[in-house]
Amino acid sequence: MTDTSAVSNRTEKVDVGALLDSMSPEERKGIQGWYWYDWANQAYALTVMTVIAPQVMASLYNLATGTQSGDSFYAFVLTFSMIFVVATAPALGVIADKMPIKKKLLKWYTVVGILFTAVMGAAPYFGSQGYIVLAVMYTIGTIGFTGGNVIYYSFMPYLAPRKCQDHVSTWGYAYGFIGGSMILIFHLIVLLGTSWDTNFQMAIIFATSAIWWWGFGLQMFKWTPEPEIPSPMEWKGFKDATKVAYSQVYQTFKEIKRFKVLAFFLLAYLLFYDGVNTIAGMASAFGESVLRLDQSMNVLLLLTVNIVAIPMTI
C-alpha cells in the first residue's frame, strides 16, 4: 500500500521565500552575517590557498634548489596541513556541537588564519630560506582557515528552518565566490597595473587578503548569535573536552556500521571532495613548475573559473 501522506510531503512545493520572510529581522541578519563570513574567508581560499601561495612557494623552492619540483614540495606542505585538519576536525566538530562556544572557537581559528596570512608576505624577503618560512606560515594559516570552516559550517542548521537549508547553503557559496572573485580582481590589478617590486606586490596581496577576511568576517561575530544547544555540556578545560570529543568520534564510527548507505555516501563524498580540493590546490603550483605559466596568466585562469561558478551556484 502506498503511503499517500509521504508522497504528498515529498511533492509539496516549499515557499522558501515566505519561510525566510516570516523570520524576525534579527534572525535574517544572523543569516546575512553568516553569508558575509564566506565572502570574507574566500580571500584566503582563493587568493592565498589556491592562487598565490602555491605559485610563490613553488617559485621560491625552484629558485633556492635550482630544480623544477616546487609543485611536489607544495604538495607535501598541503598534505601535512590537511592531515592535521583531518585528525582534529571530527573532535572539533563534536566540541562545537556539544558546547556553546562556536563563536569563540571560530574567532580563535580566524585570528590565527588572518595573522599568518598577513605575515606570509614577508617570506620572499628571506632569500633562499623563503620557501621554508612560507611553508610554515602557510601550514598554520591553512589550519586556521580549515578549522574555522568546520565551526562555520556547524552554524547552518541553527540559522533557518530545515526546509530553507538548501537556499541558505547555496547563497553562502555564492557569496563566497563573489567575494573571492572581487578581491582576486584587485590582486590581478596589483600584479598587472603597478610597477612595484614583485616582493612588495606579494606583501600587498597577502596583507589585503588578511584585511579583507577580518573586515567582512567581522559581521558574523556582530550579527550571528551563538546557537542554542539542547542539553549543552559544560566547558571543563581543553583536556576534558578533547577526551569527550574523541570518545564521541569513536562511538560514531562504531555506530555507522549500522548505516551502510550513509557510510558509503560519506566515503564517496570524502573522495570526491578531496579530489576537487586537490585539483584546485595544486593548479597554481602545477602551472608554475610544470606548465611554466606567467603568474598573471595563472591568476586570470583561476579567476575565470571562479566567476563562472557564481551563476552556476545560484
Side-chain angles (χ1 to χ4, degrees), residues 137-291:
M137 300 301 177
Y138 176 81
T139 298
I140 300 174
T142 299
I143 290 170
F145 168 75
T146 50
N149 265 1
V150 173
I151 308 299
Y152 167 72
Y153 294 146
S154 72
F155 274 81
M156 197 176 74
Y158 302 93
L159 293 173
R162 186 172 180 178
K163 292 180 179 179
C164 299
Q165 296 296 303
D166 284 347
H167 176 91
V168 172
S169 176
T170 294
W171 279 97
Y173 266 99
Y175 266 68
F177 283 127
I178 295 169
S181 297
M182 289 184 67
I183 187 65
L184 190 56
I185 288 171
F186 169 72
H187 292 151
L188 187 61
I189 293 171
V190 170
L191 290 172
L192 295 179
T194 68
S195 56
W196 299 331
D197 174 72
T198 302
N199 290 349
F200 184 68
Q201 287 179 335
M202 292 300 104
I204 291 294
I205 287 172
F206 284 115
T208 52
S209 296
I211 293 169
W212 183 277
W213 187 355
W214 179 247
F216 287 106
L218 197 60
Q219 312 315 311
M220 179 165 182
F221 299 110
K222 291 166 62 176
W223 297 346
T224 307
E226 178 72 37
E228 293 184 12
I229 299 174
S231 305
M233 291 180 59
E234 183 183 352
W235 175 264
K236 296 181 180 178
F238 180 78
K239 183 178 180 181
D240 181 74
T242 303
K243 183 179 178 181
V244 170
Y246 279 104
S247 64
Q248 182 66 59
V249 171
Y250 176 71
Q251 188 63 32
T252 301
F253 272 112
K254 284 176 61 179
E255 292 180 357
I256 204 170
K257 296 176 183 177
R258 296 162 45 205
F259 306 96
K260 291 184 179 180
V261 173
L262 176 61
F264 276 118
F265 171 80
L266 290 174
L267 177 62
Y269 180 79
L270 173 66
L271 296 174
F272 163 76
Y273 196 63
D274 190 55
V276 171
N277 283 342
T278 300
I279 292 169
M282 289 300 301
S284 185
F286 184 80
E288 160 67 27
S289 290
V290 180
L291 301 180

